[in-house]
Every structure is written in C-alpha cells, then in structure tokens.
Amino acid sequence: MKTIQLYLLPIAFVVLILSSGCANSQKGNGDPEEIIQLIPMPNKVKVSRGFLEISSGFKLNFAEVTTDIENNLISYLESTSLNISGSGIATHLSVKHPSSYYYSDEYYSLSVNKDGVKINAASEAGLFYAIQTLIQLVEQNPDKLPYIEIEDSSRFAYRGMHIDVSRHFFSLDFLKKQIDMMAHYKLNRFHWHLTDGPGWRIEIKQYPALTNIAAWRTHSLWKEWWASGRKYAYEGNPNTYGGYYTQEEVRELVEYAAKRHITIIPEIEMPGHSEEVLAVYPQLSCTEKPYTSSEFCIGNEETFVFLENVLDEIMEIFPSPYIHVGGDEASKEHWKKCPKCQERIKKENLKDEAELQSYLIRRIEKYLHSKGRELIGWDEILEGGLEKSTIVMNWRNEKIGIEAAQSGHKVIMTPGKYTYFNSYQSSPEKEPEAMGGFLPLAKVYSYNPLPDTLSANYIENIWGVQGCLWTEYVPTEEHAEYMLYPRMLALAEVAWTNPENKSWESFKYRVNRSIPILQQKGYNTFTLSKEPEILMENDSLNKAIAISLSSEICPVEIGYTTDGSAVTSRSQLYESPILVKDSAILKTQLFRVGTPLGDVLEKRIDYHKAIGKKIEYLNPYNRYYPASGENSLIDGLHGSFSHGDGHWQGFIGAPFDVIIDLDETDSLRHVRINFLQNANAEIWLPKEITISLSNDRNGNFELVATFNNSIASDKSGTFFKSFEWNGSQQARFIRITATINPAVRGWVFADEIVVW
Ligand code: ACM
C-alpha cells in the first residue's frame, strides 16, 4: 500500500494542502487529499491509501475507560449524528495518558485502518475531541473513511467564545445551539456577558427588581432605546423588550455545556456598565438617584453587600472556577465628587480613583478566593494595580495583554482588532449595520496570541484566546449566527492548532467546504465576501504600488482591468501582483466559471508625487491611532473600512493641520485627501477642509480650495469621502487643514493625501 506522507509538521503538509486547495477542489470525494478538511487542523495527520466502509455505523468498544466516562460519552453521542447503534465497525476507545508525550491533557490519537477505528485519549476531554474529529470525518466522508492516523493536542488551554445577551436577549435554545458548535470546533469556554446597562439577564432571588425591571427596556432596537433616554420598564408592560434566564434555566445550560466540555464563565459587570442595577437600586450609586450613573459607589458598604449577595447566588449556580467581574470602561467622575468615595480613598490610603477601582477589584477577588474561585476582569482593571493572582482579559491593544503576562498575570487574549465579531466582515454598504470596524475572516485567522517577542518565561501566562460578540447591532438570533460564523471557525484554529501547522490557503479551502455543512445543520452563516480583497504595497524599488488580489471564496476567478474599462468574464484574470507606476483605476470582480459572483470593486491607485516626501504635523496625530507613523498619509496605501487598520491616522482635539514638503518646487495639478466617517465610533467627516500652496514654508500659503462638507455628522454607517483640488500651480509646500463641527465631539480620521 502506498502511503502519502502527510506528517503535518511543516513543509509536506503545506505543499499538499496548497496543491489540494481551491484550484483542485472540483475533484470527487475519495481522493485522500480531499479528506483533510478538519477544523481546527489537527497537529499531526498521516493519510494512507485505503478506505473503511462505515455504512453499518460504529460499534463502540470501551477499554480502560471508567463507567462514568463511557456513560457520559454514550449519552452525548445520542444527541449527535454519529451512528453508534448498528453492528458497525469496531471502534476501540481508551483513556490513558501516553507516557512518552509532552502533550496536554486534551491529547488524543485516532486511527482508521482496515481493522476499524482506534482512539486513545489522555483524558475524558481528549476523548471528546477525538470524537469531534471523527464526527467531522464522517460528515465529510459519509460512506467510507480514509485510512488516517492523527495525533493531536491543543495549543491553548483556554479557547473561548463570548456572547453579549444584555444588548439583545437570546433564547436558551439558541445558546445551546451555539454551544454545540463551539464544542464541535473544540472551544471550551463560554463567556456569558449576562449583565450590562441594556439589561440584567439572570434571576437573583434576593434582588427581584433586577429581573422585574432591569431586564426590560422601552425599545428593542439599540439606537431607538438610546434616543429615547435609555429607560427600563416593568416586566409585562406593553411593548417592553428584554428577558432573563431563571436560575433553573441557567443550571440547565451549565449542565448542557459541561457535557460538551465547555465551562460557562458568567460575567457580572462592576463597577461600571451597571446603569440597569442603579436604576432599580439607586442607593448603590454615588448620586443615589436613578438614571444618573453607570458606576457603583465604592465608598458605600451597601455596594459590597449587594455584590457579594449576587456573587453568592452566581457561585451557587455556576461551578466555574472563574468568575468574570467586568471592570471595563468605568467613568471615575462620580467618584471624584462623592464624599463616601473620597472618604474611602482617604481611609484606605489610596492614591486616586484608579486605585479606588482596584480597591473594589481586590476586595471582590478576596471574597471570590474565600469561596475557592478566581477573578477575571477586562484589562482596565490593571490601571490602579492588581494582585498577581488576578486573571486579565485583554480587549484593547494586544500590548496591554503581553505586558500583563510579562508582569506575572495569567492573560486571556481577545484584542478587538482580531477577535470582535461585531465588526463588518465585508464592505459596510453591502452588510447589515454593524458596530464599525472591519474584521474579515483572514484577519481573525492571522492572529497569533503569542508574539515571538514574548520570552519563554512568560509563554505560560498567555492562557488562551477568545472571540467576542457584542450585540448592540445584532438584534436577532439569525443575525448573531451571521456574525459568529465562519469567523468562530478561524478563531478555533487560532486557539487549537500550532502556528507551524496553520495555513490560510488550507483553511480557506476547508472553510469553503464547511459552509454548506453549517447551513445543512441550520446555522445562518455568512457565506463569505463576494468581493475581491485588494492588498496594496509600496514597492519603492520599482517606484510603484504593487496590488495583490485575493478572495475568501474558492474556487474562483478574479478578473480585473486597470485602464478604466469595464471588467467582464473575458477580462484579464489575476495571477500575480500588478504594478501601478503612476495612476490607475483598478476594477475587479469575482467570477465562478465565467459567472459574476458579486459586484465590481473600483479603486483609484496612485504612485504619486508626495510618496516618500516629508510631512509636518502642526497638531499631532493621536498616539492611539498613529497608523504606521509619520509617513502614513503619503505612503500610497489607502485605509480600509476599519479605522484601526494601520492606515487611517486619527486626530482629536485640535484641528487636522499638516504641511507636505515636496523637496523642490513642482508643477502641481491635483491634491486630494480622503476622510472616514463611522458614526458608531464617533469618527466624523470634517466640516471644513482647506488646501493651500506655497513655495516658502514660512511665507504666505495661497488658499486654493475650501470645502464645506454637506454630509450630516449623524449619518450612520461607515464610508469615505475625498476632497480634491484640480488646477495648475507651481509650489513646493502643501498645507491641508480640516476641522470638525464644534457641535459634535469626536475624531477626524484621514488617509492618503494624493498629489499630482
Ligand atoms: C469591552 O469591549 N468594553 C470589554
């Protein structure tokens, strides 16, 4: 028998998967190369020639497995599609930690050959994951399994998915359905965002107003509720929106998840994001009045009585060793003015309100520790100092998480830039309204929670990685699935598969094959972007912009033109990077066997006069949005729909005001600047833009263009607008200013100033 060497460590794997990628995927089932469609990709796989007929199902034979494990597995398998009832093929299962392996407790091996199926796992969880792999193999090869040998183990111990049920409420059945899929892709933590200003979602017997009132609001849609003063209402009032889970329901979900080796980590927000609690128990806020504050009063002992009582009930229901207490985005303004908070600061010898927040976190952590639990909080909790025992969940810049790991904290990485699934996954104008930002599948897949720069001493502190779904703009369960899938599959591979065994081309192929399976199972998955992705790079050697085109969908053809003509199925097909040495209008579209798949995408590309020249900032760009630094506005590369993509530069406070120096006087005929608007992120197109030219940096600049922008600052959605001067003038210096409407607080985001 010929063996195809497919040991997944490194090169052989990549070669095989690439060659079996999108280009060849018209092959019929049965080719061994078609078989490796598993997600997450196991860490070691060998496929051999040969197949095992499985039409008679699987006959399980447990050896060295406790009765408990056996019963748990059989009861779980009854809820799956795996046929274990027939006379079936011999399937040996054992649970025994392999002595020679450094692998984690989630290790399993799985082999399929002429004698049947054999699984050994290091633990019950490992056995469960072996079964998930087997289920995927059967789904993809329903009649006969390829001969295969897998040895596999997780990269990260914490592999999480978060769902916000406060902004919009989702049913228990919906959550069970998502837990099924999380387990199928080997995720093992469900972070349940149960409380937040838009609604409290869990029954607490000692505080009935949390669910009689704080769980219900006057409007279901986020924007309408905000525009109407963000009020709560009594349960049962006409037209209220909301809901909550009874303790009995929560127990049911906890048990359901545990059977699938998923720990549910509840999040109870404190001290901020607590408007709903303070509306019904206003005595716990600094003002003692409802609808005035989002933060608990930390000077008030009653706050701690409340929080500990709530946590007691939470710990009663959730066996999770970890309790998430939020800690993000707390305003410190009320604490500054509150006599009780100031008294607490004095009495406890605290430096400021940041330390006051830490006082609360430390005190709650101590309480949780006294009950045998550990505390997790969002990364803002670092700001006033923390015990080393505290687990930090990093959602802002990844640097914060890495530094926390270096200072000894256990860290869960969920940086918004890579893991917030509330962002757009394709062009905003073609998608339902989202929170903003742009997070296509490839970006999720590209995330590496363990940067090479992290020294080996701290690697263990990066506990794992998580995806988050915030639901301000996710009003329905169908929409939630649309945002979760297939990005959750990319996250699963980030969390499970070692980087040397990951390959975007391979994943893309597998995810394309997984989408119909998800749909068959009733998941409303996003079916991948129908637009080509345009990547631009500055090729300074050739003095050109190099354009690469790619697509999430495969197999596909990518047609394009650069001369302004219409793109059709007969246009040039993309094969390798296109160089634009001056100016071009790129038109590109996806086709499958000659039929267009989506709309034409059009982009102006310019290798223009200002590239590589100097730029002076009369008011600096904001340090949190530097793009790639000083040259970002004149590097020939344009920002995408995400203001955090490394191309858009952010300005706040003082007006945008820059001077470009072209080194020598030149004949100018065109100056253009592009701005972004994303109302949800408080990024506005400027109100007034000016362009001035001069031959002398310190002399008079001649104003050549003024634009009074007419797009209303409250217009929703994410879009760009460019402003351009066309004329004929000699000049060396170009000054551009932009101011926003003083009536709106917020940002100006600029990218690329094009000069011809
Ligand atoms: C967060 O996104 N505020 C944790």
Side-chain angles (χ1 to χ4, degrees), residues 525-592:
T525 171
F526 173 63
T527 52
L528 302 173
S529 173
K530 310 293 178 296
E531 288 175 351
E533 191 177 350
I534 303 173
L535 178 76
M536 295 199 281
E537 283 177 299
N538 188 332
D539 179 348
S540 49
L541 209 64
N542 285 306
K543 291 197 175 316
I545 302 293
I547 303 159
S548 307
L549 302 178
S550 61
S551 156
E552 290 179 349
I553 292 194
C554 74
V556 80
E557 304 108 48
I558 309 176
Y560 73 92
T561 64
T562 52
D563 59 2
S565 64
V567 61
T568 70
S569 59
R570 290 178 305 282
S571 298
Q572 178 111 18
L573 295 184
Y574 177 78
E575 280 174 5
S576 57
I578 310 155
L579 288 189
V580 173
K581 288 190 178 247
D582 40 34
S583 198
I585 293 178
L586 171 73
K587 292 185 184 176
T588 177
Q589 188 174 24
L590 300 184
F591 297 90
R592 180 166 288 163

Side-chain angles (χ1 to χ4, degrees), residues 243-300:
Y244 61 90
Y245 310 96
T246 64
Q247 293 195 355
E248 201 179 327
E249 287 171 323
V250 172
R251 284 200 166 89
E252 184 183 324
L253 195 72
V254 166
E255 197 178 315
Y256 188 87
K259 266 194 173 169
R260 288 153 182 79
H261 293 269
I262 291 175
T263 303
I264 301 188
I265 299 176
E267 181 181 352
I268 304 297
E269 275 271 18
M270 63 187 79
H273 281 283
S274 299
E275 296 90 331
E276 84 291 24
V277 179
L278 303 173
V280 296
Y281 297 110
Q283 66 275 24
L284 302 178
S285 72
C286 296
T287 58
E288 300 186 14
K289 294 193 188 74
Y291 297 111
T292 53
S293 178
S294 310
E295 287 76 31
F296 284 98
C297 174
I298 304 181
N300 183 353

Side-chain angles (χ1 to χ4, degrees), residues 162 167 191 193 196 267 269 273 324 326-329 378-380 393-396 414 416 420 422 435 468 470 472:
H162 150 291
R167 268 87 183 182
H191 171 175
H193 189 76
D196 210 309
E267 181 181 352
E269 275 271 18
H273 281 283
H324 199 305
D328 56 322
E329 300 181 309
W378 297 108
D379 57 44
E380 287 94 328
M393 186 171 270
N394 172 214
W395 71 280
R396 297 179 295 170
T414 178
Y420 271 26
N422 30 290
M435 184 96 143
C468 292
W470 299 98
E472 282 89 339

Side-chain angles (χ1 to χ4, degrees), residues 1-8 16 29-36 38 44-53 110-116 137 141 144-150:
M1 181 190 311
K2 185 169 164 255
T3 296
I4 296 181
Q5 282 301 332
L6 227 176
Y7 262 103
L8 281 198
L16 182 103
N29 191 352
D31 191 309
E33 295 157 26
E34 282 280 286
I35 287 141
I36 315 299
L38 300 167
K44 205 167 172 191
V45 180
K46 190 171 127 190
V47 177
S48 310
R49 292 267 179 223
F51 290 92
L52 180 69
E53 295 283 342
L110 184 158
S111 71
V112 177
N113 57 35
K114 65 179 179 8
D115 300 325
L137 285 171
N141 307 276
K144 50 186 187 173
L145 291 186
Y147 290 176
I148 192 164
E149 280 174 47
I150 294 177

Side-chain angles (χ1 to χ4, degrees), residues 276-530:
E276 84 291 24
V277 179
L278 303 173
V280 296
Y281 297 110
Q283 66 275 24
L284 302 178
S285 72
C286 296
T287 58
E288 300 186 14
K289 294 193 188 74
Y291 297 111
T292 53
S293 178
S294 310
E295 287 76 31
F296 284 98
C297 174
I298 304 181
N300 183 353
E301 274 305 295
E302 282 292 305
T303 291
F304 291 90
V305 173
F306 172 86
L307 292 175
E308 289 175 10
N309 283 341
V310 167
L311 289 172
D312 282 346
E313 291 195 36
I314 291 291
M315 288 187 278
E316 192 54 43
I317 316 166
F318 291 93
S320 164
Y322 314 100
I323 306 291
H324 199 305
V325 301
D328 56 322
E329 300 181 309
S331 159
K332 301 176 173 69
E333 291 312 306
H334 286 294
W335 302 336
K336 284 185 186 153
K337 290 180 248 150
C338 168
K340 286 187 199 152
C341 287
Q342 291 306 313
E343 180 61 30
R344 176 83 74 195
I345 287 179
K346 218 158 100 197
K347 192 162 146 241
E348 299 293 335
N349 236 339
L350 306 173
K351 198 167 84 212
D352 54 16
E353 287 72 24
E355 288 199 357
L356 183 65
Q357 160 144 336
S358 292
Y359 167 84
L360 174 132
I361 298 293
R362 286 179 207 263
R363 188 165 158 182
I364 294 294
E365 182 176 44
K366 215 160 148 188
Y367 188 71
L368 293 179
H369 282 176
S370 76
K371 310 279 175 183
R373 310 297 178 101
E374 292 189 52
L375 182 147
I376 306 178
W378 297 108
D379 57 44
E380 287 94 328
I381 62 171
L382 287 158
E383 286 163 11
L386 278 184
E387 303 302 323
K388 288 288 173 267
S389 53
T390 314
I391 302 168
V392 175
M393 186 171 270
N394 172 214
W395 71 280
R396 297 179 295 170
N397 193 314
E398 312 91 271
K399 275 212 319 245
I400 299 173
I402 299 305
E403 283 168 16
Q406 284 165 335
S407 72
H409 291 283
K410 200 157 150 179
V411 178
I412 301 156
M413 301 299 286
T414 178
K417 200 162 90 188
Y418 293 101
T419 69
Y420 271 26
F421 297 170
N422 30 290
S423 300
Y424 286 101
Q425 44 199 334
S426 184
S427 298
E429 71 267 24
K430 309 238 168 61
E431 291 294 305
E433 185 175 8
M435 184 96 143
F438 182 51
L439 182 60
L441 189 65
K443 179 121 190 217
V444 181
Y445 193 79
S446 73
Y447 181 48
N448 181 5
L450 267 183
D452 295 341
T453 49
L454 187 66
S455 102
N457 299 345
Y458 303 114
I459 285 176
E460 287 290 308
N461 284 352
I462 302 289
W463 190 20
V465 58
Q466 175 172 289
C468 292
L469 182 62
W470 299 98
T471 57
E472 282 89 339
Y473 297 95
V474 183
T476 65
E477 295 178 348
E478 292 72 30
H479 192 177
E481 288 183 357
Y482 183 84
M483 302 306 271
L484 285 170
Y485 305 100
R487 288 184 286 197
M488 197 175 91
L489 279 59
L491 177 90
E493 192 148 307
V494 167
W496 182 276
T497 306
N498 294 334
E500 63 272 21
N501 298 327
K502 281 178 69 207
S503 146
W504 164 246
E505 286 302 320
S506 153
F507 177 76
K508 184 164 90 173
Y509 169 69
R510 287 176 281 131
V511 92
N512 271 267
R513 309 302 297 269
S514 300
I515 281 178
I517 297 178
L518 278 165
Q519 288 174 318
Q520 267 163 28
K521 291 178 179 172
Y523 289 82
N524 181 39
T525 171
F526 173 63
T527 52
L528 302 173
S529 173
K530 310 293 178 296

